[in-house]
Amino acid sequence: MKLEGKAFIITGGCGSIGGGAAKAIIAKGGIAVVFDVLPKDAGEAKVKTYHPERAFYFKVDISNVDLVSEACSEALKVIPKRSLAGGVHCAAVATSRKWSNKLKDSVADFQKTLNINVNGTFIVDACVADAINSQYPDEGPFAPRTDDERGCIINIASAVAHPVPARCLTYGPSKTAVIGISQGMADFLGPSGIRVCSVSPAVVASGLMGPDRIPYFASELNASAIFPRRLSQPEEVVHGIIYLLENSMMNDFELRVDGGWRGVTNWAGAKDPRENAPSLE
Ligand SMILES: NC(=O)c1ccc[n+]([C@@H]2O[C@H](COP(=O)([O-])OP(=O)(O)OC[C@H]3O[C@@H](n4cnc5c(N)ncnc54)[C@H](O)[C@@H]3O)[C@@H](O)[C@H]2O)c1
């Protein structure tokens, strides 16, 4: 798929990976429609630094289906006719609390994480796909089955989606679900000519991680990544996103961009991780 002239809804587009994806799509001649939770003025000011004309901002909480649906409708009004060609869904949260054996205390984090990371992914994929299909009112979403590519949606999962390490009790399963949603959506949306893939990064130094956790993760990567044994740069993840968008044969695929990192918790012979890991996510 050529990105030139095509518009993409980028959730979390004021963040590290989402911002990088927006700029990369614009650099290819595309249009970035950013959904994020920054106040309207701050969000608009930020995306205008990406490009003065080919970047738009909507303040949207992606876990709210009415807001996402409405923002998709508004987005269709500001971009050229039939230009919406997909989404890059980067908005997510990672909660954090001190290690403890009282797992019940993690339930609130689990519910919050599921609401944004899992419900939000289903909502974004559904609303973006419906918005793409709404550009073809005469054809309808189901019939006739199309051979023309209408678009591509990329969801961001994580290397800790499988296997899920002890440290990622709430965040890990939320990303496992993101991979499941991506697979189901890919199968459902095939007849509409919409591909769905996911990208699973390892650890990227971003606002999501916060500075406290970075030294811990740097040493974990040094110990258990294959190569390179270091944090990823956002651009390295964005490179994978753009590859999946552009290559029309890539569908129903999870692309791990993780240096071969398997983030399992190493209990054997080591100090109890609860003594040195900063938190449960
Ligand atoms: N940073 C990492 O190490 C890492 C690793 C694996 C996967 N990921 C995933 O990559 C994606 C992007 O993460 P990032 O590192 O760029 O983080 P980031 O914190 O820089 O960006 C996330 C963005 O999402 C926005 N956001 C959060 N909740 C929202 C909501 N309810 N509605 C709308 N926007 C919301 C935030 O405002 C922020 O701009 C996420 O899905 C994350 O889980 C990140």
Side-chain angles (χ1 to χ4, degrees):
M1 175 165 64
K2 283 201 169 23
L3 306 189
E4 190 175 356
K6 307 256 172 54
F8 293 84
I9 289 170
I10 300 156
T11 71
C14 291
S16 172
I17 296 170
K23 287 183 225 168
I25 286 168
I26 289 167
K28 296 260 178 188
I31 300 161
V33 181
V34 169
F35 290 3
D36 208 305
V37 287
L38 258 63
K40 189 169 182 288
D41 289 352
E44 267 171 9
K46 176 138 196 168
V47 307
K48 289 302 170 196
T49 67
Y50 301 168
H51 195 280
E53 286 101 36
R54 283 190 279 120
F56 301 93
Y57 180 74
F58 294 89
K59 180 181 183 296
V60 194
D61 176 351
I62 53 96
S63 62
N64 183 316
V65 64
D66 293 332
L67 295 181
V68 177
S69 178
E70 191 185 316
C72 286
S73 302
E74 291 304 311
L76 288 174
K77 293 177 190 164
V78 299
I79 59 176
K81 195 167 186 280
R82 280 201 180 180
S83 66
L84 184 64
V88 182
H89 173 44
C90 301
V93 292
T95 59
S96 171
R97 75 175 187 88
K98 288 285 173 207
W99 282 85
S100 91
N101 276 334
K102 279 190 72 187
L103 286 176
K104 192 159 69 67
D105 292 345
S106 288
V107 170
D109 280 352
F110 189 63
Q111 288 169 337
K112 178 183 174 188
T113 307
L114 250 59
N115 189 39
I116 296 174
N117 295 7
V118 180
N119 292 342
T121 298
F122 196 95
I123 288 168
V124 167
D125 285 15
C127 292
V128 170
D130 286 352
I132 294 170
N133 281 330
S134 75
Q135 300 172 119
Y136 305 86
D138 300 337
E139 296 166 38
F142 290 113
R145 185 182 179 121
T146 179
D147 286 326
D148 294 330
E149 185 173 22
R150 288 185 184 172
C152 179
I153 297 171
I154 308 292
N155 295 315
I156 311 300
S158 171
V160 298
H162 58 96
V164 176
R167 184 180 40 70
C168 296
L169 276 175
T170 67
Y171 179 79
S174 81
K175 292 300 187 175
T176 316
V178 169
I179 292 169
I181 293 168
S182 306
Q183 290 176 341
M185 288 284 176
D187 200 17
F188 189 90
L189 292 170
S192 301
I194 299 172
R195 297 180 287 117
V196 185
C197 292
S198 57
V199 174
S200 288
V203 187
V204 187
S206 74
L208 191 89
M209 281 293 125
D212 295 351
R213 286 184 272 188
I214 296 298
Y216 169 76
F217 280 113
S219 70
E220 284 288 291
L221 287 159
N222 187 40
S224 53
I226 298 174
F227 183 81
R229 305 190 312 269
R230 59 161 173 79
L231 296 168
S232 312
Q233 295 301 318
E235 304 78 56
E236 291 167 325
V237 180
V238 168
H239 196 219
I241 294 170
I242 297 296
Y243 166 71
L244 292 172
L245 287 176
E246 288 190 325
N247 190 327
S248 295
M249 276 312 281
M250 297 307 295
N251 197 3
D252 189 16
F253 188 78
E254 183 205 359
L255 178 65
R256 291 181 77 117
V257 183
D258 65 358
W261 184 54
R262 301 293 173 260
V264 292
T265 306
N266 181 3
W267 300 87
K271 220 163 65 160
D272 185 328
R274 281 170 286 194
E275 288 177 45
N276 53 25
S279 58
L280 285 177
E281 291 166 37

